[in-house]
């Protein structure tokens, strides 16, 4: 292992990266709180400012993937569609198979300049999570409780509010509702059999109601619907911990435009989405067999802004940290040093908890019990 690789694997480096992310994130959340005074005065200015502030947070995660890990991402797509990416509002359908697929989705947004304004359909619990959850609140992210009878009215209202959004945005949606596991897949296919739906080999059954409402509410706002399928070469099993350790992965993302095919009727849209996932299954099968997708491979240029943003916050926040540490050591106080050691332990536990949120084996139970109830 070279010296750079050795340093990337050291826990002290991970702590410093997380320190920068947490402190800068809380500072930005605090600034976002003050932007609320702009909402009744100039809603569009509020939105534009919060897009930039959100970028300062989410781009740090993308920096880890692009610059720290050095992960390569090859885009397979139609060259004619490629030139439109980032220049129009779009709904992006993503598969949900890997621990860092959300990070690859953000990387896709970053390469085309829509990371700060990207939207998602997220579970309500995330809105209470400091930094990213609070950032999403100010971005007008659509949160739901995963109980459609309670969610529908709120989701529709939130989506309709995006109709006059001043920035180009991509609405990223994982239609499966939860990350793929063998247990969830087995239950999902039992539901498919009970409902007479075609079985899928590499995906869970899509949740159609949220997608149908999203398309209905944003139909006159978005110019495109993109179907994307993500895979990693050589049977790689990417994790956020691996990225933090500087491990390089090789991602392949297949993106195709499907806007003209999406029906307006909810039942027809549901049937259309099920057919789309059968096609996604076929693309996944072909990738496992050939290692490629049926499109032109393109590597979008990596932009410097994620790295420059991280360097700015590193220079701003590391100096006072090191100065404090030196003063504590010079003081020679046992109580001070013990307090510092305690803070390190708490920080270590916090870092491990944040990583654990993305781990598949610690993912939500949504798709286990919920699908069982639907089958009854």
């Amino acid at each position: 292992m070279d010296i750079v690789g050795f340093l990337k694997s050291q826990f002290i480096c991970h702590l410093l990266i997380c320190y920068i992310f947490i402190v800068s994130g809380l500072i930005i959340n605090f600034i976002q709180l003050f932007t609320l005074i702009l909402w009744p005065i100039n809603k569009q200015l509020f939105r534009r400012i919060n897009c930039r502030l959100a970028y300062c947070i989410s781009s740090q995660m993308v920096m880890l993937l692009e610059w720290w890990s050095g992960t390569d991402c090859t885009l397979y797509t139609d060259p004619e569609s490629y030139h439109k990416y980032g220049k129009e509002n779009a709904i992006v359908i993503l598969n949900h198979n890997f621990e860092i697929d959300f990070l690859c989705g953000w990387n896709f947004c970053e390469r085309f300049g829509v990371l700060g304004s990207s939207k998602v359909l997220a579970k309500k619990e995330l809105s209470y999570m400091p930094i990213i959850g609070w950032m999403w609140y100010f971005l007008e992210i659509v949160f739901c409780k995963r109980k459609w009878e309670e969610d529908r009215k709120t989701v529709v209202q939130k989506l309709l509010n995006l109709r006059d959004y001043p920035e180009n945005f991509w609405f990223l949606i994982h239609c499966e509702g939860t990350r793929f596991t063998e247990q969830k897949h087995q239950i999902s296919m039992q539901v498919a059999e009970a409902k007479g739906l075609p079985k899928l080999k590499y995906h869970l059954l899509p949740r159609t109601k949220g997608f149908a409402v999203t398309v209905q509410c944003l139909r006159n706002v978005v110019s495109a619907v993109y179907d994307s399928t993500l895979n990693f070469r050589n049977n790689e099993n990417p994790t956020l911990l691996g990225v933090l350790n500087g491990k390089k992965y090789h991602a392949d993302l297949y993106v195709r435009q499907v806007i003209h095919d999406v029906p307006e009727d909810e039942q027809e849209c549901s049937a259309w989405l099920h057919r789309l996932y059968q096609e996604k299954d076929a693309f996944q099968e072909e990738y496992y067999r050939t290692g490629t997708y049926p499109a032109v491979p393109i590597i979008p240029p990596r932009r410097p802004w994620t790295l420059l943003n991280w360097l700015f916050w590193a220079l701003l926040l590391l100096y006072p940290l090191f100065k404090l540490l030196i003063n504590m050591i010079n003081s020679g106080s046992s109580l001070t040093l013990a307090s510092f050691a305690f803070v390190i332990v708490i920080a270590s536990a916090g870092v491990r908890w944040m990583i654990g949120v993305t781990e598949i084996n610690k993912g939500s139970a949504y798709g286990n019990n919920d699908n069982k109830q639907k089958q009854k």
Side-chain angles (χ1 to χ4, degrees), residues 124-125 142-158 209:
K124 181 67 175 179
E125 293 85 349
V142 182
F143 292 105
C144 59
K145 299 178 182 178
R146 290 177 165 176
K147 296 178 180 178
W148 188 243
E149 295 75 15
E150 300 177 23
D151 285 331
R152 185 182 184 97
K153 184 177 179 180
T154 302
V155 168
V156 168
Q157 185 58 55
K158 291 287 187 181
K209 293 180 180 178

Side-chain angles (χ1 to χ4, degrees), residues 27 35 45 79 99 122 125 127 134 145 147 151 158 224 237 264 328 343 347 352:
I27 290 173
T35 65
L45 178 60
E99 290 184 10
E125 293 85 349
S127 66
W134 295 351
K145 299 178 182 178
K147 296 178 180 178
D151 285 331
K158 291 287 187 181
N237 184 26
E264 291 190 37
M328 291 176 66
V343 170
R352 192 65 192 85

Side-chain angles (χ1 to χ4, degrees), residues 38-161:
L38 292 173
W39 182 266
I41 302 171
N42 191 330
K43 181 172 69 172
Q44 303 299 45
L45 178 60
F46 166 88
R47 287 168 157 175
R48 292 184 187 278
I49 290 174
N50 274 284
C51 283
R52 275 72 186 171
L53 292 173
Y55 182 85
C56 291
I57 295 176
S58 53
S59 68
Q60 293 188 51
M61 300 288 291
V62 176
M63 185 283 299
L64 283 179
L65 187 73
E66 290 188 331
W67 296 93
W68 182 261
S69 165
T71 291
D72 293 324
C73 186
T74 301
L75 180 65
Y76 290 79
T77 191
D78 174 17
E80 292 186 8
S81 298
Y82 176 83
H83 296 294
K84 299 178 183 178
Y85 293 162
K87 299 176 182 177
E88 56 189 5
N89 295 334
I91 297 172
V92 183
I93 303 169
L94 302 159
N95 58 327
H96 211 2
N97 297 60
F98 304 98
E99 290 184 10
I100 65 167
D101 48 20
F102 79 96
L103 197 51
C104 292
W106 279 5
N107 175 257
F108 183 34
C109 292
E110 160 57 22
R111 295 293 173 100
F112 298 99
V114 291
L115 176 60
S117 58
S118 63
K119 314 295 178 189
V120 295
L121 183 62
K123 58 184 178 182
K124 181 67 175 179
E125 293 85 349
L126 292 177
S127 66
Y128 307 115
M129 187 176 179
I131 305 176
I132 291 180
W134 295 351
M135 170 194 81
W136 276 350
Y137 172 82
F138 290 97
L139 275 181
E140 301 169 70
I141 292 300
V142 182
F143 292 105
C144 59
K145 299 178 182 178
R146 290 177 165 176
K147 296 178 180 178
W148 188 243
E149 295 75 15
E150 300 177 23
D151 285 331
R152 185 182 184 97
K153 184 177 179 180
T154 302
V155 168
V156 168
Q157 185 58 55
K158 291 287 187 181
L159 289 168
L160 292 177
N161 288 342

